[in-house]
Amino acid sequence: MSTPSTTGPATGRGMWRVVAEREVSTQVRSKAFLIQSGLLLVGLIGMVVLYTFLGDRQQTSTVGVVDEIAATAVDEASTIARSTDDNAVLEAMTYDDVAAAEDAVLAGDVDAALLPAASGEGYELVGEDGVSPTITQSVTAAVSQLVTTANAAEQDVDLAALVRGAEVGQRLLDPDAEDAGLRQAASFIFVLLFYVTALTFGLTIAGSVTQEKESRVVEILAASVPIRALLWGKIAGASVLAIGQTVVLALAGVIGLVATGNLDALGVIGPAIGWYVVFFVLGFVALASLWSVAGALASRQQDLGGATAPLQIILFAPYLIAVTAGEGVRTVVSMLPVVSTMLMPARLAEGDVPAWQLVVAILVTLVAAALFVRLGARVYENNLLRTGNRISFREAWARRAPADA
Amino acid sequence: MLEAISLTRVFGSLTAVDDVSFHVRPGRMTGFVGANGAGKTTTMRMLMGVLAPTSGSVTWNGSPIGAEDRRGFGYMPEERGLYPRMKLAEQLSYFARLHGFSRRDALSRADELLGFFGLEERRDDLLDNLSLGNQQRVQIAAALIHRPTALVLDEPFSGLDPLAVDAMVELLQREAADVPVLFSSHQLELVERLCDDLVILSGGRVVAAGSVDELRSESVERYRVVLDGQDAAWLRDLRGVRVDDVDGSTALLTLDGIEAADLTRTVVERGPVLEVARVRQPLSEIFREVTR
């Protein structure tokens, strides 16, 4: 590219790179682009932080005690409580006597107190006006376990023999279900992110085409480079920007999850993030040529809304389906082009997707991209140099362009 | 040489350009004149390939023109078009790079042309922030940026003050002295001053084409005679001339049978004479004659 060919006409080949370069350099300096990227980044990091904050907050309950056995029971109870609720923690606070412990309950310094029962036998849980089920269940279980063990030893009973066959174990049929919240959140983010990114960059492509028509610079461009080079340059430029932004956001999401210590969450949605980038590239390129066409059909910025309406619907429909449709419908439409970009990563985030469905989705999108680009190039060439009113789609397709002689 | 051969363009029921043929020779400024709606812009767009002719063709150095040939041309469209929100130097170098210039060559070429118009200080200004005259200068710079092999300029001088016109003409002579230059204008006195060749269009048809001198010589020769105080009315009776107008001692006449030398001798014999001069017919008159 640096060969000094200062004389003679250009061959027109490779000029799409120059066009793409201008698209990129103009966009990355535009305030709108910087603000939009910044907002998406802040929003994404905010979600990671929010997830960490909500997900990792430990529910620490304190229980007042006056003797060693009760303190051990509370520690034991903490282990039991965690088996039902990841974030539940019980802590023992030792007080000098029963009165002090009761005062602490009334003052709210502790959530409850585990005190020797007034009757002299066993323990009682003392609360202000109630004791939370977590504390009640776990502490009761812990005390009964401790005391039973102690009694068994005292009575010389083989406790192991006594409880043999009484264990109730656990077998999880769907261990992932535990992450359902995370998976649903991630899938929603994928859908929303593609919608926002595809719409923003799509409108940017269309706007940039229309701007060239409106400012008439397109006549000079058309006299300098082949119209197809213009189209390719625009698609390439916008795709580089959109994909670049998507990769940055994906990396920010991954780094955010790592930085906040959510490695387990990364394990769950990491592959979905990777697939999202793949489907984004395909889906975006498929649509990019259609956005250029919409831009070429509008002669002024005011016409853009109408010209891009069908594309906005193409994007909004899968968004609606993604959010509302049932399982069967989602499975089928997730293999359609463009829709797949939103739905496949979402489905991957929610659970496993059979490999054949991924392959079908990718193939269908590739075919659609090739088709859209051909169709787009034809309509773009036909209409780029036409001015006046907004051109109808039927007209745009039918009329032959003033091509190079 | 750039040549239009029987170019015709029909828009619906309107034939905007009708069987137009002419050529633009290298090293010569060819003026393209005609009333509004005569078909100048349509013809130029067909020459540049941004509009397809209904019939007819364009040739470049004798062979049918191709997209590659046209890419070497410099074009200034009727509806000015540049990126309004792009810096001047960046914008011009972008056009240079579209023509295959390297990044560095493109920038130095852009600066060179901006420097010619004294716009080097404003190289980083947005086009939008320039006066209309300066925008027009940048527009012509955009047409010249790649050292074009031919120039097609649609109304390049409209809206420019006389000094700006001179500067632009100087630039054209420096940058495009040996390539074919076609420019349209309806400022006839300007065309007269600048042009070597002329193509006059009327109602979509070529009504006159050729060098300015040829066109002049084809038209009738007129003379102005100014007598010293004497009433010039007697010239009406002179054989071999047709008097078009008499105003006191001044008469405007057309030779109709006698030679210029005969006229001069006859007049001098009759009394004191201040002037016997050939009247160079202004272009506007040729224009009126052929478009009538």
Side-chain angles (χ1 to χ4, degrees), chain A residues 195 312-322 339 342:
Chain A
Y195 180 67
Q312 302 200 28
I313 292 168
I314 289 183
L315 275 180
F316 193 63
Y319 176 74
L320 271 186
I321 294 169
V339 187
M342 279 191 203

Short mmCIF file of all heavy atoms in Angstrom, two decimals, chain A residues 195 312-322 339 342:
data_model
loop_
_atom_site.label_atom_id
_atom_site.label_comp_id
_atom_site.label_asym_id
_atom_site.label_seq_id
_atom_site.Cartn_x
_atom_site.Cartn_y
_atom_site.Cartn_z
N TYR A 195 -28.96 -7.01 19.89
CA TYR A 195 -29.98 -6.08 19.40
C TYR A 195 -29.44 -4.66 19.36
O TYR A 195 -29.50 -3.97 18.35
CB TYR A 195 -31.22 -6.17 20.30
CG TYR A 195 -32.34 -5.26 19.87
CD1 TYR A 195 -33.00 -5.48 18.67
CD2 TYR A 195 -32.70 -4.17 20.64
CE1 TYR A 195 -34.01 -4.65 18.26
CE2 TYR A 195 -33.71 -3.32 20.24
CZ TYR A 195 -34.36 -3.57 19.04
OH TYR A 195 -35.35 -2.73 18.64
N GLN A 312 -35.23 -2.87 11.01
CA GLN A 312 -35.44 -2.76 12.45
C GLN A 312 -36.40 -3.84 12.91
O GLN A 312 -36.25 -4.40 14.00
CB GLN A 312 -35.97 -1.38 12.80
CG GLN A 312 -35.02 -0.28 12.34
CD GLN A 312 -35.25 1.04 13.06
OE1 GLN A 312 -35.70 1.07 14.19
NE2 GLN A 312 -34.92 2.14 12.40
N ILE A 313 -37.38 -4.16 12.04
CA ILE A 313 -38.32 -5.23 12.39
C ILE A 313 -37.61 -6.57 12.38
O ILE A 313 -37.78 -7.39 13.27
CB ILE A 313 -39.52 -5.22 11.41
CG1 ILE A 313 -40.33 -3.95 11.64
CG2 ILE A 313 -40.39 -6.46 11.61
CD1 ILE A 313 -41.35 -3.68 10.57
N ILE A 314 -36.75 -6.79 11.35
CA ILE A 314 -35.99 -8.04 11.27
C ILE A 314 -35.22 -8.26 12.57
O ILE A 314 -35.05 -9.38 13.04
CB ILE A 314 -35.02 -8.02 10.07
CG1 ILE A 314 -35.81 -8.13 8.77
CG2 ILE A 314 -33.99 -9.13 10.17
CD1 ILE A 314 -34.97 -8.18 7.53
N LEU A 315 -34.73 -7.18 13.14
CA LEU A 315 -33.97 -7.31 14.39
C LEU A 315 -34.88 -7.45 15.61
O LEU A 315 -34.55 -8.14 16.56
CB LEU A 315 -33.07 -6.08 14.58
CG LEU A 315 -31.73 -6.13 13.89
CD1 LEU A 315 -30.97 -4.85 14.16
CD2 LEU A 315 -30.92 -7.32 14.38
N PHE A 316 -36.00 -6.75 15.55
CA PHE A 316 -36.84 -6.73 16.74
C PHE A 316 -37.63 -8.03 16.91
O PHE A 316 -37.85 -8.48 18.04
CB PHE A 316 -37.79 -5.53 16.69
CG PHE A 316 -38.46 -5.26 18.01
CD1 PHE A 316 -37.71 -4.90 19.11
CD2 PHE A 316 -39.84 -5.39 18.15
CE1 PHE A 316 -38.30 -4.65 20.33
CE2 PHE A 316 -40.44 -5.16 19.37
CZ PHE A 316 -39.67 -4.79 20.46
N ALA A 317 -38.01 -8.64 15.79
CA ALA A 317 -38.80 -9.88 15.87
C ALA A 317 -38.08 -10.97 16.67
O ALA A 317 -38.65 -11.51 17.61
CB ALA A 317 -39.15 -10.36 14.46
N PRO A 318 -36.82 -11.28 16.33
CA PRO A 318 -36.15 -12.31 17.12
C PRO A 318 -35.98 -11.90 18.58
O PRO A 318 -35.96 -12.74 19.48
CB PRO A 318 -34.79 -12.48 16.44
CG PRO A 318 -34.64 -11.35 15.52
CD PRO A 318 -35.99 -10.84 15.20
N TYR A 319 -35.86 -10.59 18.78
CA TYR A 319 -35.74 -10.11 20.15
C TYR A 319 -36.99 -10.49 20.94
O TYR A 319 -36.92 -11.01 22.05
CB TYR A 319 -35.52 -8.60 20.13
CG TYR A 319 -35.47 -7.97 21.50
CD1 TYR A 319 -34.37 -8.14 22.32
CD2 TYR A 319 -36.54 -7.22 21.97
CE1 TYR A 319 -34.32 -7.58 23.57
CE2 TYR A 319 -36.51 -6.65 23.22
CZ TYR A 319 -35.39 -6.83 24.03
OH TYR A 319 -35.37 -6.27 25.26
N LEU A 320 -38.14 -10.24 20.31
CA LEU A 320 -39.41 -10.59 20.95
C LEU A 320 -39.50 -12.10 21.17
O LEU A 320 -39.87 -12.56 22.24
CB LEU A 320 -40.58 -10.15 20.07
CG LEU A 320 -41.11 -8.74 20.30
CD1 LEU A 320 -42.35 -8.52 19.45
CD2 LEU A 320 -41.42 -8.53 21.77
N ILE A 321 -39.15 -12.85 20.10
CA ILE A 321 -39.23 -14.31 20.19
C ILE A 321 -38.32 -14.80 21.32
O ILE A 321 -38.71 -15.62 22.14
CB ILE A 321 -38.80 -14.96 18.85
CG1 ILE A 321 -39.82 -14.61 17.76
CG2 ILE A 321 -38.68 -16.47 18.99
CD1 ILE A 321 -39.37 -14.97 16.37
N ALA A 322 -37.12 -14.24 21.35
CA ALA A 322 -36.16 -14.68 22.35
C ALA A 322 -36.72 -14.50 23.75
O ALA A 322 -36.51 -15.32 24.64
CB ALA A 322 -34.85 -13.91 22.20
N VAL A 339 -31.46 -14.42 13.55
CA VAL A 339 -32.08 -14.85 14.80
C VAL A 339 -31.08 -15.68 15.60
O VAL A 339 -31.00 -15.58 16.83
CB VAL A 339 -33.34 -15.69 14.52
CG1 VAL A 339 -34.08 -15.98 15.81
CG2 VAL A 339 -34.25 -14.99 13.54
N MET A 342 -28.82 -13.98 18.09
CA MET A 342 -29.39 -13.64 19.38
C MET A 342 -29.67 -14.88 20.21
O MET A 342 -29.38 -14.94 21.39
CB MET A 342 -30.72 -12.91 19.19
CG MET A 342 -30.57 -11.46 18.87
SD MET A 342 -32.20 -10.73 18.99
CE MET A 342 -31.97 -9.31 17.98
#
